[in-house]
Amino acid sequence: MRRLNVREAQIDECIRESMFALSDNPRNPALQPGEPLLLQLTITDARRLGKVDQRINFALIFEWIERDYDESISRRHWPNEGRVWNWIVYGSATVPAIPFSLDRLDLSTTYSGQNNARYIDPVDQTKIQPYLLWSLAQQPDRYSQIVNPSEIAQTFGREPTLEGVLNHDRIALLSPPSKSRYVREGFDRNQWLAESLKSYYSDRCQVCGNDFEPQYGESFSESHHIQYLSSGGQDISGNIVVVCPNHDRIIHATHAEFDRGKLEYRYPNGLRITDSSRSSGEGAWV
Ligand SMILES: [Zn+2]
């Protein structure tokens, strides 16, 4: 595992393409395939954005590195940086994270400094690993996540969970769907995203507020895509509602329409039901 420094102006391209640029090819040890590369916001950008405690939101999974001999790759991907790099790093995936900062984690040493691809001690890697949301990456089956998505809000708290889910969404919105392995291989949804949202809402129906847990001792909810994936809807938090089985069925049966402006479902008979949680300003809607 390494710590990279990245400016906010560069990071979208790193997230979208799972790429990074380096002046030197790291040695002792060399980069290993499958190794997480933490994209850490530069301290200047972190201060400017009020993210000093949330400098890391994404990791690239290292796959291979190549020389940028004629500087064309650097210029093509980061045309506004006014500089080029010797080496280009390619990742197999971009993994969203629960936002964190290395200097808030009680690690064995400080990983501050300007140098890039700073190696992270294995002792510290074990403290960092739980923050990486492997199951919300676009290739979730390749890795095992330490924290179960259905307990993510109970583990990290609701606000960090929402931030982690929104990091997933940022990757999904930046990456064209045609490039997604889900679409290519026929997987149209990531069940772990739904599980994370159910955890965030504590399995409460967003339409009626129903919660099975107090009465039945068991949490239970469904997730519903507002715009179906088959109709071009995206598998992101803003397109998913967590609902009780009754509302899941009736929304399907009546083909209720969702009014995004008012955050309410409209049923064909004229009934309108406003999302009970989102009307109070909560929710994963952006
Ligand atoms: Zn309901």
Side-chain angles (χ1 to χ4, degrees):
M1 185 184 288
R2 320 276 169 139
R3 184 274 290 142
L4 309 175
N5 271 322
V6 60
R7 299 199 308 109
E8 178 65 18
Q10 298 170 302
I11 199 168
D12 273 356
E13 187 71 357
C14 301
I15 294 169
R16 173 172 37 234
E17 303 290 343
S18 296
M19 285 175 68
F20 195 79
L22 290 171
S23 300
D24 301 301
N25 185 0
R27 297 288 172 202
N28 303 316
L31 290 166
Q32 298 295 318
E35 187 177 346
L37 311 176
L38 308 174
L39 292 177
Q40 175 181 261
L41 272 184
T42 60
I43 189 65
T44 309
D45 279 358
R47 288 195 181 117
R48 180 172 57 82
L49 298 167
K51 290 191 163 187
V52 171
D53 293 336
Q54 303 181 318
R55 291 177 67 186
I56 297 173
N57 288 266
F58 305 93
L60 306 182
I61 307 310
F62 176 73
E63 192 166 36
W64 57 292
I65 185 166
E66 75 170 337
R67 226 18 235 273
D68 188 9
Y69 284 108
D70 62 1
E71 304 174 345
S72 63
I73 307 173
S74 299
R75 292 186 201 285
R76 185 162 71 248
H77 288 279
W78 295 279
N80 301 322
E81 286 302 301
R83 60 166 294 189
V84 294
W85 295 267
N86 292 330
W87 295 91
I88 304 294
V89 167
Y90 297 89
S92 58
T94 305
V95 177
I98 296 283
F100 68 100
S101 280
L102 293 172
D103 50 8
R104 299 287 190 269
L105 288 190
D106 188 27
L107 303 179
S108 64
T109 183
T110 169
Y111 294 96
S112 60
Q114 297 296 315
N115 60 330
N116 248 340
R118 174 82 185 269
Y119 182 73
I120 293 179
D121 190 277
V123 173
D124 295 327
Q125 291 185 29
T126 58
K127 294 182 180 172
I128 294 166
Q129 278 285 2
Y131 290 85
L132 303 182
L133 302 175
W134 298 98
S135 57
L136 295 189
Q138 294 195 329
Q139 301 182 16
D141 51 346
R142 281 186 53 189
Y143 308 98
S144 60
Q145 182 166 329
I146 292 167
V147 176
N148 185 336
S150 56
E151 293 166 4
I152 185 171
Q154 288 70 24
T155 305
F156 293 105
R158 294 188 78 220
E159 204 50 43
T161 293
L162 180 57
E163 296 290 336
V165 166
L166 292 176
N167 285 340
H168 157 276
D169 294 350
R170 184 165 168 186
I171 298 170
L173 291 167
L174 282 168
S175 307
S178 60
K179 289 180 70 177
S180 157
R181 185 167 160 274
Y182 284 122
V183 173
R184 282 207 310 274
E185 300 188 4
F187 303 106
D188 53 1
R189 66 200 296 255
N190 182 344
Q191 182 59 29
W192 298 120
L193 174 62
E195 293 302 320
S196 302
L197 286 169
K198 288 178 185 178
S199 173
Y200 175 75
Y201 286 111
S202 306
D203 288 284
R204 247 172 212 283
C205 176
Q206 287 183 252
V207 177
C208 69
N210 180 70
D211 179 5
F212 284 104
E213 210 282 327
Q215 195 169 1
Y216 295 92
E218 188 77 39
S219 296
F220 192 81
S221 61
E222 310 274 6
S223 63
H224 177 84
H225 283 88
I226 296 166
Q227 184 182 8
Y228 296 147
L229 300 177
S230 55
S231 307
Q234 286 189 283
D235 197 28
I236 56 173
S237 65
N239 192 37
I240 296 174
V241 279
V242 172
V243 286
C244 67
N246 268 353
H247 275 111
D248 191 37
R249 295 294 294 276
I250 198 68
I251 288 166
H252 276 278
T254 60
H255 304 289
E257 270 183 44
F258 192 75
D259 185 330
R260 284 182 183 274
K262 297 189 174 125
L263 295 182
E264 67 179 16
Y265 269 104
R266 284 190 309 231
Y267 298 86
N269 68 353
L271 179 66
R272 292 163 176 258
I273 296 182
T274 303
D275 174 343
S276 52
S277 62
R278 287 172 184 179
S279 57
S280 63
E282 291 187 6
W285 293 63
V286 287

